[in-house]
């Protein structure tokens, strides 16, 4: 079947005529349905009926409208709605009420093309987005560029008919209705090929052809499943720009791609695009992108990773259109144009999440372009927590079903426990992809015997769960229901259901990843004392990297627990190339157990206790955690000095601790939804709704199954296309009526 957006059940509303329009001066009103009204001002070329960048479906049945005039202007009665348009004022003053006159919406001139959907428990009477900037794709395709195929993103796009164009959703408090109408208007969440659900190995590394193949062979030798292998930006001549392979790394690129495919592994290439022109639709710019990306796809590259760069990036075709979502469309369209018989798939930055931080809502078209990752994160528990929350919350509020992490963290060396917990979450996440920066690695056998034993079992579990994952991907395409499902999608009446550190996979498997560790606690502030015995530590900040000269700023800091990101630590200090020193006392150490203290540094750190240098990591490093070489004794107070320097980019300095011996079992709270749910590890049954405390040894991630559930399991595989699911195992759980859906296709077409 040829891949098409509008084969969805909720989009099969093709009409024999255009939606009825009412024109009042320079305003056009279209009541697209009982739950959706369009309010549009006349553009320079008139009202707009073509598909645009944001609005891809104009086929709405509409509902009948009765028009009348009052002293307020023109009143349009449509079913239970009334639209009031003041005469000759444009959209100013336009409002929508119910039949009784209760206000539902009034036009506001602040138009936005980015928005979070409301939570299922707090859906307003009206919610609006705007088609702005209004950009109309060309129908010409890539005709000037022979051999590339049809592509919308080319010269001929119309950016000249921009005008206020607002879509007002009136869901009546029904989140499912809002989601359905939004996706019908803006397009569905596309369904990537099956192989994107497999395990993905990635790192920033200068691979030679044989190095890359040897790494793939090592996975196969160890019988650890692998579907996709990522070659980061150093595959190219110059390392960061252009599309010419560097012959010192890949002397024969087609040969490398053939050899990888013989091993049943797909290849993803990273691209940091630099613009060839300041004009997004300049034919030279589009030809460079189409030729470069398309040429390597034709050689055998399977997936492009659109890695928008902080310093250079694609130029969007109109203001207020983010380069993230513009690049998504461009890369997706080139992929489809090059391989029209296959589902297009790319990887790109989440629009609105920067280096793991969820900063702003996504563009209303961004959900159409899976797969999206959260940027360069750090190997710390805080980023694991944020990663889980990003996937859970974006699925509900951004309809982004494929949010994924650099599992293990992009920067820094995770300790084995953190690495294992990252990968446990990844085994049930939308995408399971490890990644790290240069000088580090993330393969399961590199983090000690526990990781080497535990992590492959979770990867294999993911492949057994492939029917559940693939059916969830299909459902995300058909309905927008995310793959990891926040519990308020089903239990909005319970406030606890909004928590973002647990989720449902399918409708019967409750997952509560371990996302924190006892040693992930800052040394308590009351233990720090300045040299004159005041609370805190004496802090000296230097406007240079070497602690030279007099400090530019001297103050008291209550603790050493800082993540400055890319910012200055204090006014008067630059954002990069600075240093700091903290002096005072630490203690008395409370309780009756020894204190185990670590220091996290990005970049250099040194620690003295009682005048003795105990940590000396005075080097550029990426958020490395270093333990002090001995435990601190209960009741004792130590003279403390900490020195730190920041080179550039991120800046972190944290003193953390745990008391006593490092526990072998983690505990966390889990909200159990209504019904009976059983632990997959112990069989213990829990009745909900209730919040319970559960324990999880390192080899176990808390998971619970609903009574009556039926979980379909695929055969064991080392890659997703190894064999058909001609033998499905059903895990059937007693205690209720259950069902399971298995969806199958050829995986790519």
């Amino acid at each position: 079947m040829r891949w098409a957006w509008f084969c969805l059940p909720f989009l099969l509303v093709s009409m024999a005529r255009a939606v009825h329009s009412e024109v009042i001066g320079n305003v056009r009103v279209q009541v697209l349905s009982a739950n959706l009204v369009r309010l549009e001002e006349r553009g320079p070329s008139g009202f707009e009926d073509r598909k645009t960048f944001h609005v891809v479906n104009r086929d709405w049945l509409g509902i009948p409208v009765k028009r009348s005039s009052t002293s307020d202007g023109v009143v349009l009665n449509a079913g239970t709605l009334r639209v009031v348009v003041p005469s000759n004022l444009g959209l100013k003053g336009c409002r929508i009420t119910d039949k009784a006159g209760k206000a539902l919406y009034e036009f506001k001139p602040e138009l936005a093309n980015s928005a979070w959907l409301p939570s299922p428990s707090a859906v307003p009477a009206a919610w609006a987005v705007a088609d702005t900037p209004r950009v109309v794709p060309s129908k010409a395709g890539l005709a000037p560029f022979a051999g590339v195929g049809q592509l919308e993103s080319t010269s001929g796009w119309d950016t000249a008919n921009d005008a206020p164009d607002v879509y007002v959703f009136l869901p009546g408090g029904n989140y499912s209705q809002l989601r359905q109408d939004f996706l019908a208007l803006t397009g569905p969440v596309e369904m990537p090929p099956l192989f994107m659900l497999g395990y993905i190995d990635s790192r920033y590394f200068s691979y030679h052809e044989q190095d890359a193949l040897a790494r793939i062979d090592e996975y196969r030798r160890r019988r650890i499943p692998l579907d996709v292998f990522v070659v980061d930006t150093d595959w190219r001549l110059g390392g960061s720009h252009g599309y010419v392979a560097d012959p010192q790394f890949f002397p024969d690129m087609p040969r490398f791609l053939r050899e990888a495919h013989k091993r049943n592994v797909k290849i993803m290439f990273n691209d940091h695009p630099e613009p060839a022109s300041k004009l997004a639709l300049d034919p030279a710019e589009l030809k460079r992108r189409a030729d470069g990306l398309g040429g390597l796809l034709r050689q055998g590259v399977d997936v492009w990773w659109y890695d928008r760069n902080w310093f250079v990036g694609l130029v969007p075709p109109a203001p207020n259109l983010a380069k993230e979502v513009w690049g998504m469309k461009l890369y997706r369209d080139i992929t489809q144009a090059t391989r029209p018989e296959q589902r297009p798939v790319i990887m790109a930055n989440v629009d609105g999440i920067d280096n793991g931080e969820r900063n702003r809502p996504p563009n209303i078209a961004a959900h159409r372009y899976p797969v999206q990752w959260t940027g360069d994160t750090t190997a710390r528990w805080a980023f694991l927590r944020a990663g889980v929350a990003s996937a859970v919350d974006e699925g509900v509020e951004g309809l982004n079903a494929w949010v994924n992490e650099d599992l293990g963290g992009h920067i820094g060396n995770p300790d084995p426990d953190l690495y294992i917990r990252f990968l446990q979450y990844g085994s049930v996440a939308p995408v399971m992809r490890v990644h790290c920066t240069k000088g580090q690695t993330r393969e399961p056998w590199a983090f000690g015997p526990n990781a080497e034993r535990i992590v492959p079992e979770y990867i294999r579990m993911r492949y057994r769960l492939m029917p559940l994952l693939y059916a969830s991907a299909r459902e995300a395409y058909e309905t927008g229901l995310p793959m990891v499902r926040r519990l308020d999608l089903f239990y909005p009446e319970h406030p606890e259901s909004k928590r973002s550190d647990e989720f449902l996979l399918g409708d019967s498997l409750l997952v509560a990843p371990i996302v924190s560790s006892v040693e992930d606690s800052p040394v308590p502030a009351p233990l720090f004392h300045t040299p004159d015995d005041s609370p805190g530590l004496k802090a000296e900040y230097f406007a240079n990297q070497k602690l030279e000269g007099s400090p530019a700023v001297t103050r008291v800091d209550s603790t050493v627990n800082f993540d400055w990101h890319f910012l200055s630590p204090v006014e008067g200090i630059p954002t990069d190339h600075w240093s700091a020193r903290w002096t005072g006392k630490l203690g008395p150490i409370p309780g009756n157990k020894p204190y185990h203290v670590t220091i996290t540094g990005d970049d250099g750190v040194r620690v003295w206790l009682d005048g003795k240098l105990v940590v000396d990591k005075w080097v550029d490093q990426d958020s490395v955690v270093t333990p002090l070489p001995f435990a601190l004794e209960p009741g004792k107070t130590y003279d403390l000095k900490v020195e730190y320097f920041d080179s550039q980019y991120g800046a972190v300095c944290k003193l953390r601790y745990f008391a006593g011996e490092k526990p072998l079992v983690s505990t966390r709270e889990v909200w159990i939804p209504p019904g009976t749910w059983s632990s997959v590890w112990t069989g213990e049954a829990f009745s909900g709704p209730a919040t319970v405390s559960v324990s999880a040894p390192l080899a176990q991630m808390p998971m619970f199954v609903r009574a009556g559930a039926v979980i379909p399991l695929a055969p064991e595989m080392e890659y997703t296309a190894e064999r058909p699911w001609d033998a499905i195992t059903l895990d059937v759980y007693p205690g209720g009526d259950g069902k399971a859906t298995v969806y199958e296709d050829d995986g790519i077409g």
Side-chain angles (χ1 to χ4, degrees), residues 512 514 665-670 672 686 692-696 702 704:
I514 298 296
V665 177
S666 296
T667 59
R668 62 155 292 168
E669 285 190 344
V670 179
I672 302 294
F686 299 87
V692 300
S693 179
V694 299
S695 299
F704 307 84

Side-chain angles (χ1 to χ4, degrees), residues 708-742:
V710 179
I711 308 293
L713 302 175
E716 292 189 3
M717 292 177 286
E718 292 188 35
Y719 54 96
T720 53
E722 183 176 5
R723 58 176 61 94
W725 301 342
D726 50 7
I728 290 282
T729 301
L730 299 180
D731 267 1
V732 181
Y733 293 81
D737 295 332
K739 63 180 181 179
T741 297
V742 176

Side-chain angles (χ1 to χ4, degrees), residues 71-87:
S71 58
D72 286 340
V74 175
V75 177
L76 306 176
N77 286 280
T80 60
L81 303 175
R82 297 174 71 234
V83 182
V84 181
V85 183
S87 300

